[in-house]
Amino acid sequence: MNFIPSNLAGCFVLEPKIFHDDRGYFMESFNENTFEKGIGQKVHFIQDNQSYSSKGVLRGLHYQTGEYAQAKLVRVLQGEVLDIAVDIRPESATYGQSFSILLSAENQKQLYIPRGFAHGFLVTSETATFFYKCDNFYNKESEGGVIYNDPALNIDWNFPENELIISNKDVILPTLENAKKVW
């Protein structure tokens, strides 16, 4: 597994070693020892989540605050998404900056998003199955979010805005400036 630092401190792209033969392929998608060595810290994942969405569905930008903050390891099992991480740690040198990557079943890349980041994704294929590991349990009272089109973030979703499918909850999220603070 290759661990490639993104432009955001603590956020890594993971590229697995895939072994192909005439039967198909094999890869190790997660190994705690390899993972912790690759990112340089201990992370204990305790919850797995999975979603299925159609083209144009935008989920995010979400995060958890305080003692329920979550680090995530995300990947796509079927289809393709544009995945976005936003550093919302006020003390960070990369506060308010984002990182985007195409994650797909074909490229098998994963993205590690540490605590203190907002996260979202847009389905770019006809459908996508999205899978992620969390290092903390979900807590409704601790959820927060940032509107996907916050002008201060200037995220290029590379998709026609009038074709986006966004939940009622996500379309009314605040800007980063007005969002619930992470810590």
Side-chain angles (χ1 to χ4, degrees), residues 54-59 122 159 161-167:
S54 57
K55 187 173 191 169
V57 168
L58 191 155
R59 296 181 185 265
L122 169 68
F159 201 86
E161 190 157 5
N162 65 333
E163 294 179 26
L164 294 174
I165 303 166
I166 306 171
S167 73

Side-chain angles (χ1 to χ4, degrees), residues 161-181:
E161 190 157 5
N162 65 333
E163 294 179 26
L164 294 174
I165 303 166
I166 306 171
S167 73
N168 292 335
K169 180 176 118 177
D170 286 355
V171 80
I172 61 168
L173 290 172
T175 62
L176 179 57
E177 182 179 351
N178 296 316
K180 184 190 295 188
K181 301 307 171 202

Side-chain angles (χ1 to χ4, degrees), residues 13-171:
V13 175
L14 285 67
E15 292 182 335
K17 293 180 180 163
I18 302 172
F19 302 94
H20 294 271
D21 65 21
D22 57 349
R23 300 169 295 165
Y25 74 87
F26 171 84
M27 67 175 223
E28 185 175 79
S29 61
F30 181 77
N31 175 305
E32 187 175 62
N33 291 333
T34 303
F35 178 77
E36 290 176 353
K37 184 178 177 187
I39 66 166
Q41 63 178 322
K42 286 199 167 290
V43 177
H44 180 68
F45 293 111
I46 60 172
Q47 181 176 325
D48 287 351
N49 299 314
Q50 186 169 316
S51 68
Y52 175 82
S53 306
S54 57
K55 187 173 191 169
V57 168
L58 191 155
R59 296 181 185 265
L61 301 158
H62 304 140
Y63 59 91
Q64 294 270 132
T65 62
E67 68 179 286
Y68 291 99
Q70 293 178 326
K72 297 176 182 175
L73 180 61
V74 304
R75 61 187 268 198
V76 171
L77 302 177
Q78 174 269 317
E80 179 182 85
V81 307
L82 175 64
D83 201 73
I84 306 285
V86 179
D87 188 344
I88 58 173
R89 303 169 295 179
E91 75 289 351
S92 173
T94 56
Y95 173 78
Q97 294 180 29
S98 64
F99 175 76
S100 66
I101 185 170
L102 281 175
L103 300 177
S104 70
E106 186 176 322
N107 69 25
Q108 294 290 342
K109 292 180 181 179
Q110 299 180 61
L111 183 64
Y112 171 68
I113 306 159
R115 292 181 179 196
F117 282 69
H119 171 256
F121 65 89
L122 169 68
V123 177
T124 58
S125 54
E126 287 306 310
T127 61
T129 303
F130 191 81
F131 178 86
Y132 57 106
K133 297 178 141 338
C134 299
D135 77 335
N136 209 347
F137 295 111
Y138 169 78
N139 178 274
K140 184 165 181 52
E141 291 74 38
S142 300
E143 70 180 16
V146 176
I147 189 75
Y148 73 97
N149 61 355
D150 183 341
L153 299 179
N154 195 30
I155 296 172
D156 181 3
W157 292 94
N158 198 26
F159 201 86
E161 190 157 5
N162 65 333
E163 294 179 26
L164 294 174
I165 303 166
I166 306 171
S167 73
N168 292 335
K169 180 176 118 177
D170 286 355
V171 80

